[in-house]
Amino acid sequence: MSVLERVQADVRTAMKAGERERVAALRLIVDSLQQDAKLGEGDEVAVLQRERKKRLEAADAYSDAGRAEQASAERYEAELIEAYLPAQLSDQELAELVDAAVVEAGASEQKQMGQVMSALMPKVAGRADGKRVSAAVREKLGS
């Protein structure tokens, strides 16, 4: 079952349970996934990560503007999206992948970070945020 099919099934379940907020949030996710499928890109994990990131950024903006209710709604949607993402890597797992990628790329200094990232990102594949990965690589090459 694809992520889109799972989300659509959850929409139906939420509708039957009368959970209006959940239905609305899940419909937004379905719409994003369907748009991506129409464009032929088909990377559901990337869509979910992008949508989650949008929600978290919006929540921060609302919080900074003193609009706690809207921030809470955005965080709720981000949590819903997170449930459909693959399990995130622990710090230790990420460190092990970074170590292996550094060895694979033969990198020893900061200016070789791009080579390490290009070797590492396919292995991470949606299980860690790009900022987190680049920070781990930067830390490894900086030491």
Side-chain angles (χ1 to χ4, degrees):
M1 178 183 275
S2 72
V3 174
L4 176 59
E5 291 168 339
R6 281 184 27 220
V7 177
Q8 288 173 328
D10 289 348
V11 168
R12 286 189 292 276
T13 303
M15 286 175 72
K16 289 177 184 176
E19 300 171 326
R20 292 178 187 228
E21 285 182 40
R22 184 175 173 84
V23 169
L26 290 172
R27 281 184 173 162
L28 290 173
I29 298 168
V30 167
D31 184 51
S32 297
L33 290 169
Q34 287 176 336
Q35 284 179 356
D36 188 66
K38 280 182 188 175
L39 295 174
E41 296 175 21
D43 188 1
E44 294 177 326
V45 173
V47 172
L48 292 174
Q49 286 179 318
R50 183 178 63 234
E51 291 299 317
R52 180 179 169 274
K53 183 177 179 182
K54 284 181 190 176
R55 299 312 190 286
L56 292 174
E57 289 173 353
D60 290 341
Y62 282 133
S63 291
D64 293 344
R67 299 173 69 187
E69 189 173 313
Q70 288 89 348
S72 177
E74 294 292 336
R75 284 192 187 93
Y76 172 74
E77 289 180 20
E79 288 174 14
L80 274 178
I81 293 169
E82 199 169 306
Y84 298 100
L85 286 169
Q88 297 293 297
L89 292 171
S90 69
D91 290 338
Q92 181 179 351
E93 292 169 322
L94 180 60
E96 290 171 5
L97 287 172
V98 168
D99 291 343
V102 167
V103 170
E104 179 183 325
S108 60
E109 51 190 28
Q110 283 284 341
K111 63 183 174 181
Q112 294 172 306
M113 185 171 167
Q115 295 169 337
V116 175
M117 290 295 289
S118 62
L120 182 59
M121 287 310 286
K123 295 175 186 170
V124 172
R127 298 181 297 156
D129 183 45
K131 287 182 184 179
R132 186 172 160 224
V133 174
S134 67
V137 171
R138 199 173 289 116
E139 181 180 321
K140 176 69 178 173
L141 292 177
S143 58

